[in-house]
Amino acid sequence: MVFTASPALSIVIPAYNESARIGHALDEVLACVAARQWNAEVLVVNDGSSDQTAEIVRGYARQHPELRLIENDGNRGKGYSVRHGMLKARGEIVMFTDADLSAPIIEAESLMAAIQGGADVAIGSRWLDRSRQTMHQPLYRRFFGRCFNGVTRLIMRLPFADTQCGFKAFRRSVAHTIFQLQRIERWGFDPELLFIALKRGYRVVEVPVTWGHDERTRISYLRDGMKMLEELACIRWWSLTGVYDKPVRELTPSVPAVKS
């Protein structure tokens, strides 16, 4: 018999005022973990919510020991929340997904397969196979999203069809390096993660995933898009000044399996 002290997979879910959606998300994620018999932990990072998000997660955690609640010290942003959770994760593969589960959690198997096949980072893509989009964005969102993605690819020299999909997985050792170097704490952190990954020589694989638009998304392409463009300039500057070349803390080894 084998007892694994550390999980094979960590699923990080950033959450800010998600009381309307977090219960459904946890039902789906925990049911999938059980049905697929994943050796997994689930980490919800509460980003200073003013609603019942934390209380709901604590209620689920009392029934599900594989679930942990992590608290930010106030509202710090999605990028900070993802980094906080990923650096707390103990799995050999660590991933993050949005609380709306626009990409069904079963799609984690595609990301895991890519990493088990040799990738260091696997990123979900809405655009590699558009037939897998179950609910399309409104036309104006598609237009602004594609424009921003094109500008991001040009400025960052990122060869990916979809840089912004909130469904990404990493080898734990790779995540430990990338997220220590990450500096952007709000919406524009995704291109930074990919930029760091390529700069550090990691292999990044883009994987098509099933995806459905959620009308309750909070991002504003005009307001947040302008901020993201400013952040892209910061990424280039940080790269030129050696920020992403700095050494990082060593990874604490995971607890190995114990056989009996």
Side-chain angles (χ1 to χ4, degrees), residues 100-104 126 132-137 209-215:
D100 61 11
L101 295 185
S102 290
R126 298 163 289 186
R132 300 184 65 174
Q133 293 190 17
T134 58
M135 184 175 293
H136 293 278
Q137 291 176 308
V209 294
T210 300
W211 185 84
H213 173 66
D214 191 322
E215 288 290 347

mmCIF file with all atom_site columns, all heavy atoms in Angstrom, residues 100-104 126 132-137 209-215:
data_model
loop_
_atom_site.group_PDB
_atom_site.id
_atom_site.type_symbol
_atom_site.label_atom_id
_atom_site.label_alt_id
_atom_site.label_comp_id
_atom_site.label_asym_id
_atom_site.label_entity_id
_atom_site.label_seq_id
_atom_site.pdbx_PDB_ins_code
_atom_site.Cartn_x
_atom_site.Cartn_y
_atom_site.Cartn_z
_atom_site.occupancy
_atom_site.B_iso_or_equiv
_atom_site.pdbx_formal_charge
_atom_site.auth_seq_id
_atom_site.auth_comp_id
_atom_site.auth_asym_id
_atom_site.auth_atom_id
_atom_site.pdbx_PDB_model_num
ATOM 1   N N   . ASP A 1 100 ? -15.449 30.922 -11.917 1.00 0.00 ? 100 ASP A N   1
ATOM 2   C CA  . ASP A 1 100 ? -16.612 30.686 -12.781 1.00 0.00 ? 100 ASP A CA  1
ATOM 3   C C   . ASP A 1 100 ? -16.515 29.379 -13.546 1.00 0.00 ? 100 ASP A C   1
ATOM 4   O O   . ASP A 1 100 ? -17.470 28.970 -14.217 1.00 0.00 ? 100 ASP A O   1
ATOM 5   C CB  . ASP A 1 100 ? -16.837 31.852 -13.744 1.00 0.00 ? 100 ASP A CB  1
ATOM 6   C CG  . ASP A 1 100 ? -15.659 32.091 -14.687 1.00 0.00 ? 100 ASP A CG  1
ATOM 7   O OD1 . ASP A 1 100 ? -14.751 31.228 -14.754 1.00 0.00 ? 100 ASP A OD1 1
ATOM 8   O OD2 . ASP A 1 100 ? -15.640 33.132 -15.360 1.00 0.00 ? 100 ASP A OD2 1
ATOM 9   N N   . LEU A 1 101 ? -15.345 28.714 -13.472 1.00 0.00 ? 101 LEU A N   1
ATOM 10  C CA  . LEU A 1 101 ? -15.124 27.451 -14.179 1.00 0.00 ? 101 LEU A CA  1
ATOM 11  C C   . LEU A 1 101 ? -15.522 27.561 -15.651 1.00 0.00 ? 101 LEU A C   1
ATOM 12  O O   . LEU A 1 101 ? -16.169 26.669 -16.202 1.00 0.00 ? 101 LEU A O   1
ATOM 13  C CB  . LEU A 1 101 ? -15.885 26.299 -13.504 1.00 0.00 ? 101 LEU A CB  1
ATOM 14  C CG  . LEU A 1 101 ? -15.450 25.914 -12.084 1.00 0.00 ? 101 LEU A CG  1
ATOM 15  C CD1 . LEU A 1 101 ? -16.217 24.685 -11.618 1.00 0.00 ? 101 LEU A CD1 1
ATOM 16  C CD2 . LEU A 1 101 ? -13.946 25.665 -11.999 1.00 0.00 ? 101 LEU A CD2 1
ATOM 17  N N   . SER A 1 102 ? -15.111 28.653 -16.291 1.00 0.00 ? 102 SER A N   1
ATOM 18  C CA  . SER A 1 102 ? -15.391 28.798 -17.718 1.00 0.00 ? 102 SER A CA  1
ATOM 19  C C   . SER A 1 102 ? -14.806 27.630 -18.500 1.00 0.00 ? 102 SER A C   1
ATOM 20  O O   . SER A 1 102 ? -15.374 27.195 -19.501 1.00 0.00 ? 102 SER A O   1
ATOM 21  C CB  . SER A 1 102 ? -14.803 30.120 -18.240 1.00 0.00 ? 102 SER A CB  1
ATOM 22  O OG  . SER A 1 102 ? -15.533 31.211 -17.729 1.00 0.00 ? 102 SER A OG  1
ATOM 23  N N   . ALA A 1 103 ? -13.667 27.131 -18.050 1.00 0.00 ? 103 ALA A N   1
ATOM 24  C CA  . ALA A 1 103 ? -13.137 25.861 -18.562 1.00 0.00 ? 103 ALA A CA  1
ATOM 25  C C   . ALA A 1 103 ? -13.508 24.786 -17.535 1.00 0.00 ? 103 ALA A C   1
ATOM 26  O O   . ALA A 1 103 ? -13.098 24.884 -16.373 1.00 0.00 ? 103 ALA A O   1
ATOM 27  C CB  . ALA A 1 103 ? -11.627 25.928 -18.741 1.00 0.00 ? 103 ALA A CB  1
ATOM 28  N N   . PRO A 1 104 ? -14.303 23.794 -17.890 1.00 0.00 ? 104 PRO A N   1
ATOM 29  C CA  . PRO A 1 104 ? -14.693 22.757 -16.924 1.00 0.00 ? 104 PRO A CA  1
ATOM 30  C C   . PRO A 1 104 ? -13.467 22.109 -16.300 1.00 0.00 ? 104 PRO A C   1
ATOM 31  O O   . PRO A 1 104 ? -12.452 21.893 -16.974 1.00 0.00 ? 104 PRO A O   1
ATOM 32  C CB  . PRO A 1 104 ? -15.479 21.757 -17.781 1.00 0.00 ? 104 PRO A CB  1
ATOM 33  C CG  . PRO A 1 104 ? -15.929 22.538 -18.972 1.00 0.00 ? 104 PRO A CG  1
ATOM 34  C CD  . PRO A 1 104 ? -14.851 23.553 -19.226 1.00 0.00 ? 104 PRO A CD  1
ATOM 35  N N   . ARG A 1 126 ? -8.520  29.121 -25.625 1.00 0.00 ? 126 ARG A N   1
ATOM 36  C CA  . ARG A 1 126 ? -9.877  29.222 -26.175 1.00 0.00 ? 126 ARG A CA  1
ATOM 37  C C   . ARG A 1 126 ? -9.867  29.301 -27.690 1.00 0.00 ? 126 ARG A C   1
ATOM 38  O O   . ARG A 1 126 ? -10.906 29.149 -28.325 1.00 0.00 ? 126 ARG A O   1
ATOM 39  C CB  . ARG A 1 126 ? -10.559 30.476 -25.610 1.00 0.00 ? 126 ARG A CB  1
ATOM 40  C CG  . ARG A 1 126 ? -10.733 30.470 -24.113 1.00 0.00 ? 126 ARG A CG  1
ATOM 41  C CD  . ARG A 1 126 ? -11.019 31.855 -23.563 1.00 0.00 ? 126 ARG A CD  1
ATOM 42  N NE  . ARG A 1 126 ? -9.840  32.717 -23.626 1.00 0.00 ? 126 ARG A NE  1
ATOM 43  C CZ  . ARG A 1 126 ? -9.789  33.946 -23.091 1.00 0.00 ? 126 ARG A CZ  1
ATOM 44  N NH1 . ARG A 1 126 ? -10.850 34.446 -22.483 1.00 0.00 ? 126 ARG A NH1 1
ATOM 45  N NH2 . ARG A 1 126 ? -8.691  34.663 -23.184 1.00 0.00 ? 126 ARG A NH2 1
ATOM 46  N N   . ARG A 1 132 ? -14.840 24.290 -29.654 1.00 0.00 ? 132 ARG A N   1
ATOM 47  C CA  . ARG A 1 132 ? -15.008 23.850 -28.274 1.00 0.00 ? 132 ARG A CA  1
ATOM 48  C C   . ARG A 1 132 ? -15.538 24.958 -27.370 1.00 0.00 ? 132 ARG A C   1
ATOM 49  O O   . ARG A 1 132 ? -15.682 24.766 -26.174 1.00 0.00 ? 132 ARG A O   1
ATOM 50  C CB  . ARG A 1 132 ? -13.685 23.310 -27.732 1.00 0.00 ? 132 ARG A CB  1
ATOM 51  C CG  . ARG A 1 132 ? -13.169 22.115 -28.528 1.00 0.00 ? 132 ARG A CG  1
ATOM 52  C CD  . ARG A 1 132 ? -11.923 21.526 -27.919 1.00 0.00 ? 132 ARG A CD  1
ATOM 53  N NE  . ARG A 1 132 ? -12.178 20.959 -26.602 1.00 0.00 ? 132 ARG A NE  1
ATOM 54  C CZ  . ARG A 1 132 ? -11.272 20.277 -25.906 1.00 0.00 ? 132 ARG A CZ  1
ATOM 55  N NH1 . ARG A 1 132 ? -10.069 20.083 -26.404 1.00 0.00 ? 132 ARG A NH1 1
ATOM 56  N NH2 . ARG A 1 132 ? -11.557 19.802 -24.713 1.00 0.00 ? 132 ARG A NH2 1
ATOM 57  N N   . GLN A 1 133 ? -15.825 26.125 -27.930 1.00 0.00 ? 133 GLN A N   1
ATOM 58  C CA  . GLN A 1 133 ? -16.435 27.195 -27.141 1.00 0.00 ? 133 GLN A CA  1
ATOM 59  C C   . GLN A 1 133 ? -17.935 26.939 -27.036 1.00 0.00 ? 133 GLN A C   1
ATOM 60  O O   . GLN A 1 133 ? -18.659 27.000 -28.024 1.00 0.00 ? 133 GLN A O   1
ATOM 61  C CB  . GLN A 1 133 ? -16.163 28.556 -27.776 1.00 0.00 ? 133 GLN A CB  1
ATOM 62  C CG  . GLN A 1 133 ? -14.700 28.949 -27.746 1.00 0.00 ? 133 GLN A CG  1
ATOM 63  C CD  . GLN A 1 133 ? -14.480 30.391 -28.160 1.00 0.00 ? 133 GLN A CD  1
ATOM 64  O OE1 . GLN A 1 133 ? -15.408 31.197 -28.178 1.00 0.00 ? 133 GLN A OE1 1
ATOM 65  N NE2 . GLN A 1 133 ? -13.249 30.725 -28.487 1.00 0.00 ? 133 GLN A NE2 1
ATOM 66  N N   . THR A 1 134 ? -18.392 26.656 -25.825 1.00 0.00 ? 134 THR A N   1
ATOM 67  C CA  . THR A 1 134 ? -19.800 26.300 -25.615 1.00 0.00 ? 134 THR A CA  1
ATOM 68  C C   . THR A 1 134 ? -20.698 27.522 -25.505 1.00 0.00 ? 134 THR A C   1
ATOM 69  O O   . THR A 1 134 ? -21.892 27.443 -25.749 1.00 0.00 ? 134 THR A O   1
ATOM 70  C CB  . THR A 1 134 ? -19.947 25.449 -24.345 1.00 0.00 ? 134 THR A CB  1
ATOM 71  O OG1 . THR A 1 134 ? -19.435 26.190 -23.223 1.00 0.00 ? 134 THR A OG1 1
ATOM 72  C CG2 . THR A 1 134 ? -19.162 24.146 -24.479 1.00 0.00 ? 134 THR A CG2 1
ATOM 73  N N   . MET A 1 135 ? -20.145 28.654 -25.090 1.00 0.00 ? 135 MET A N   1
ATOM 74  C CA  . MET A 1 135 ? -20.897 29.903 -25.039 1.00 0.00 ? 135 MET A CA  1
ATOM 75  C C   . MET A 1 135 ? -19.948 31.023 -25.431 1.00 0.00 ? 135 MET A C   1
ATOM 76  O O   . MET A 1 135 ? -18.939 31.258 -24.765 1.00 0.00 ? 135 MET A O   1
ATOM 77  C CB  . MET A 1 135 ? -21.468 30.165 -23.641 1.00 0.00 ? 135 MET A CB  1
ATOM 78  C CG  . MET A 1 135 ? -22.343 31.416 -23.566 1.00 0.00 ? 135 MET A CG  1
ATOM 79  S SD  . MET A 1 135 ? -23.138 31.628 -21.945 1.00 0.00 ? 135 MET A SD  1
ATOM 80  C CE  . MET A 1 135 ? -24.248 30.218 -21.959 1.00 0.00 ? 135 MET A CE  1
ATOM 81  N N   . HIS A 1 136 ? -20.250 31.695 -26.526 1.00 0.00 ? 136 HIS A N   1
ATOM 82  C CA  . HIS A 1 136 ? -19.333 32.697 -27.064 1.00 0.00 ? 136 HIS A CA  1
ATOM 83  C C   . HIS A 1 136 ? -19.483 34.029 -26.339 1.00 0.00 ? 136 HIS A C   1
ATOM 84  O O   . HIS A 1 136 ? -20.547 34.381 -25.833 1.00 0.00 ? 136 HIS A O   1
ATOM 85  C CB  . HIS A 1 136 ? -19.597 32.899 -28.558 1.00 0.00 ? 136 HIS A CB  1
ATOM 86  C CG  . HIS A 1 136 ? -19.255 31.701 -29.390 1.00 0.00 ? 136 HIS A CG  1
ATOM 87  N ND1 . HIS A 1 136 ? -17.968 31.427 -29.811 1.00 0.00 ? 136 HIS A ND1 1
ATOM 88  C CD2 . HIS A 1 136 ? -20.025 30.681 -29.854 1.00 0.00 ? 136 HIS A CD2 1
ATOM 89  C CE1 . HIS A 1 136 ? -17.962 30.301 -30.511 1.00 0.00 ? 136 HIS A CE1 1
ATOM 90  N NE2 . HIS A 1 136 ? -19.196 29.835 -30.547 1.00 0.00 ? 136 HIS A NE2 1
ATOM 91  N N   . GLN A 1 137 ? -18.378 34.784 -26.324 1.00 0.00 ? 137 GLN A N   1
ATOM 92  C CA  . GLN A 1 137 ? -18.408 36.141 -25.806 1.00 0.00 ? 137 GLN A CA  1
ATOM 93  C C   . GLN A 1 137 ? -19.210 37.031 -26.746 1.00 0.00 ? 137 GLN A C   1
ATOM 94  O O   . GLN A 1 137 ? -19.303 36.762 -27.953 1.00 0.00 ? 137 GLN A O   1
ATOM 95  C CB  . GLN A 1 137 ? -16.990 36.690 -25.698 1.00 0.00 ? 137 GLN A CB  1
ATOM 96  C CG  . GLN A 1 137 ? -16.119 36.049 -24.649 1.00 0.00 ? 137 GLN A CG  1
ATOM 97  C CD  . GLN A 1 137 ? -14.716 36.612 -24.696 1.00 0.00 ? 137 GLN A CD  1
ATOM 98  O OE1 . GLN A 1 137 ? -14.080 36.641 -25.751 1.00 0.00 ? 137 GLN A OE1 1
ATOM 99  N NE2 . GLN A 1 137 ? -14.216 37.069 -23.573 1.00 0.00 ? 137 GLN A NE2 1
ATOM 100 N N   . VAL A 1 209 ? -8.957  23.871 -24.927 1.00 0.00 ? 209 VAL A N   1
ATOM 101 C CA  . VAL A 1 209 ? -9.877  23.447 -23.871 1.00 0.00 ? 209 VAL A CA  1
ATOM 102 C C   . VAL A 1 209 ? -11.297 23.886 -24.213 1.00 0.00 ? 209 VAL A C   1
ATOM 103 O O   . VAL A 1 209 ? -11.510 24.872 -24.923 1.00 0.00 ? 209 VAL A O   1
ATOM 104 C CB  . VAL A 1 209 ? -9.477  24.025 -22.493 1.00 0.00 ? 209 VAL A CB  1
ATOM 105 C CG1 . VAL A 1 209 ? -8.141  23.458 -22.031 1.00 0.00 ? 209 VAL A CG1 1
ATOM 106 C CG2 . VAL A 1 209 ? -9.443  25.554 -22.512 1.00 0.00 ? 209 VAL A CG2 1
ATOM 107 N N   . THR A 1 210 ? -12.249 23.136 -23.689 1.00 0.00 ? 210 THR A N   1
ATOM 108 C CA  . THR A 1 210 ? -13.643 23.550 -23.762 1.00 0.00 ? 210 THR A CA  1
ATOM 109 C C   . THR A 1 210 ? -13.814 24.781 -22.885 1.00 0.00 ? 210 THR A C   1
ATOM 110 O O   . THR A 1 210 ? -13.263 24.853 -21.779 1.00 0.00 ? 210 THR A O   1
ATOM 111 C CB  . THR A 1 210 ? -14.560 22.417 -23.274 1.00 0.00 ? 210 THR A CB  1
ATOM 112 O OG1 . THR A 1 210 ? -14.355 21.273 -24.114 1.00 0.00 ? 210 THR A OG1 1
ATOM 113 C CG2 . THR A 1 210 ? -16.022 22.835 -23.311 1.00 0.00 ? 210 THR A CG2 1
ATOM 114 N N   . TRP A 1 211 ? -14.575 25.747 -23.366 1.00 0.00 ? 211 TRP A N   1
ATOM 115 C CA  . TRP A 1 211 ? -14.666 27.011 -22.630 1.00 0.00 ? 211 TRP A CA  1
ATOM 116 C C   . TRP A 1 211 ? -16.012 27.674 -22.925 1.00 0.00 ? 211 TRP A C   1
ATOM 117 O O   . TRP A 1 211 ? -16.496 27.662 -24.057 1.00 0.00 ? 211 TRP A O   1
ATOM 118 C CB  . TRP A 1 211 ? -13.526 27.934 -23.053 1.00 0.00 ? 211 TRP A CB  1
ATOM 119 C CG  . TRP A 1 211 ? -13.435 29.227 -22.295 1.00 0.00 ? 211 TRP A CG  1
ATOM 120 C CD1 . TRP A 1 211 ? -12.832 29.451 -21.103 1.00 0.00 ? 211 TRP A CD1 1
ATOM 121 C CD2 . TRP A 1 211 ? -13.971 30.493 -22.704 1.00 0.00 ? 211 TRP A CD2 1
ATOM 122 N NE1 . TRP A 1 211 ? -12.953 30.763 -20.735 1.00 0.00 ? 211 TRP A NE1 1
ATOM 123 C CE2 . TRP A 1 211 ? -13.649 31.426 -21.705 1.00 0.00 ? 211 TRP A CE2 1
ATOM 124 C CE3 . TRP A 1 211 ? -14.704 30.916 -23.826 1.00 0.00 ? 211 TRP A CE3 1
ATOM 125 C CZ2 . TRP A 1 211 ? -14.020 32.765 -21.784 1.00 0.00 ? 211 TRP A CZ2 1
ATOM 126 C CZ3 . TRP A 1 211 ? -15.079 32.235 -23.901 1.00 0.00 ? 211 TRP A CZ3 1
ATOM 127 C CH2 . TRP A 1 211 ? -14.735 33.142 -22.891 1.00 0.00 ? 211 TRP A CH2 1
ATOM 128 N N   . GLY A 1 212 ? -16.610 28.247 -21.873 1.00 0.00 ? 212 GLY A N   1
ATOM 129 C CA  . GLY A 1 212 ? -17.874 28.959 -22.037 1.00 0.00 ? 212 GLY A CA  1
ATOM 130 C C   . GLY A 1 212 ? -17.812 30.311 -21.359 1.00 0.00 ? 212 GLY A C   1
ATOM 131 O O   . GLY A 1 212 ? -17.412 30.411 -20.188 1.00 0.00 ? 212 GLY A O   1
ATOM 132 N N   . HIS A 1 213 ? -18.192 31.369 -22.047 1.00 0.00 ? 213 HIS A N   1
ATOM 133 C CA  . HIS A 1 213 ? -18.153 32.728 -21.497 1.00 0.00 ? 213 HIS A CA  1
ATOM 134 C C   . HIS A 1 213 ? -19.156 32.875 -20.367 1.00 0.00 ? 213 HIS A C   1
ATOM 135 O O   . HIS A 1 213 ? -20.284 32.376 -20.434 1.00 0.00 ? 213 HIS A O   1
ATOM 136 C CB  . HIS A 1 213 ? -18.474 33.740 -22.608 1.00 0.00 ? 213 HIS A CB  1
ATOM 137 C CG  . HIS A 1 213 ? -18.618 35.140 -22.117 1.00 0.00 ? 213 HIS A CG  1
ATOM 138 N ND1 . HIS A 1 213 ? -17.569 35.849 -21.583 1.00 0.00 ? 213 HIS A ND1 1
ATOM 139 C CD2 . HIS A 1 213 ? -19.719 35.965 -22.075 1.00 0.00 ? 213 HIS A CD2 1
ATOM 140 C CE1 . HIS A 1 213 ? -18.004 37.063 -21.236 1.00 0.00 ? 213 HIS A CE1 1
ATOM 141 N NE2 . HIS A 1 213 ? -19.285 37.147 -21.521 1.00 0.00 ? 213 HIS A NE2 1
ATOM 142 N N   . ASP A 1 214 ? -18.752 33.566 -19.296 1.00 0.00 ? 214 ASP A N   1
ATOM 143 C CA  . ASP A 1 214 ? -19.637 33.886 -18.174 1.00 0.00 ? 214 ASP A CA  1
ATOM 144 C C   . ASP A 1 214 ? -19.911 35.385 -18.208 1.00 0.00 ? 214 ASP A C   1
ATOM 145 O O   . ASP A 1 214 ? -18.985 36.195 -18.114 1.00 0.00 ? 214 ASP A O   1
ATOM 146 C CB  . ASP A 1 214 ? -18.982 33.496 -16.852 1.00 0.00 ? 214 ASP A CB  1
ATOM 147 C CG  . ASP A 1 214 ? -19.958 33.563 -15.677 1.00 0.00 ? 214 ASP A CG  1
ATOM 148 O OD1 . ASP A 1 214 ? -20.789 34.490 -15.651 1.00 0.00 ? 214 ASP A OD1 1
ATOM 149 O OD2 . ASP A 1 214 ? -19.894 32.684 -14.796 1.00 0.00 ? 214 ASP A OD2 1
ATOM 150 N N   . GLU A 1 215 ? -21.179 35.757 -18.331 1.00 0.00 ? 215 GLU A N   1
ATOM 151 C CA  . GLU A 1 215 ? -21.557 37.163 -18.438 1.00 0.00 ? 215 GLU A CA  1
ATOM 152 C C   . GLU A 1 215 ? -21.202 37.966 -17.191 1.00 0.00 ? 215 GLU A C   1
ATOM 153 O O   . GLU A 1 215 ? -21.163 39.192 -17.220 1.00 0.00 ? 215 GLU A O   1
ATOM 154 C CB  . GLU A 1 215 ? -23.067 37.294 -18.708 1.00 0.00 ? 215 GLU A CB  1
ATOM 155 C CG  . GLU A 1 215 ? -23.495 36.887 -20.110 1.00 0.00 ? 215 GLU A CG  1
ATOM 156 C CD  . GLU A 1 215 ? -23.014 37.868 -21.172 1.00 0.00 ? 215 GLU A CD  1
ATOM 157 O OE1 . GLU A 1 215 ? -22.567 38.986 -20.809 1.00 0.00 ? 215 GLU A OE1 1
ATOM 158 O OE2 . GLU A 1 215 ? -23.074 37.530 -22.360 1.00 0.00 ? 215 GLU A OE2 1
#
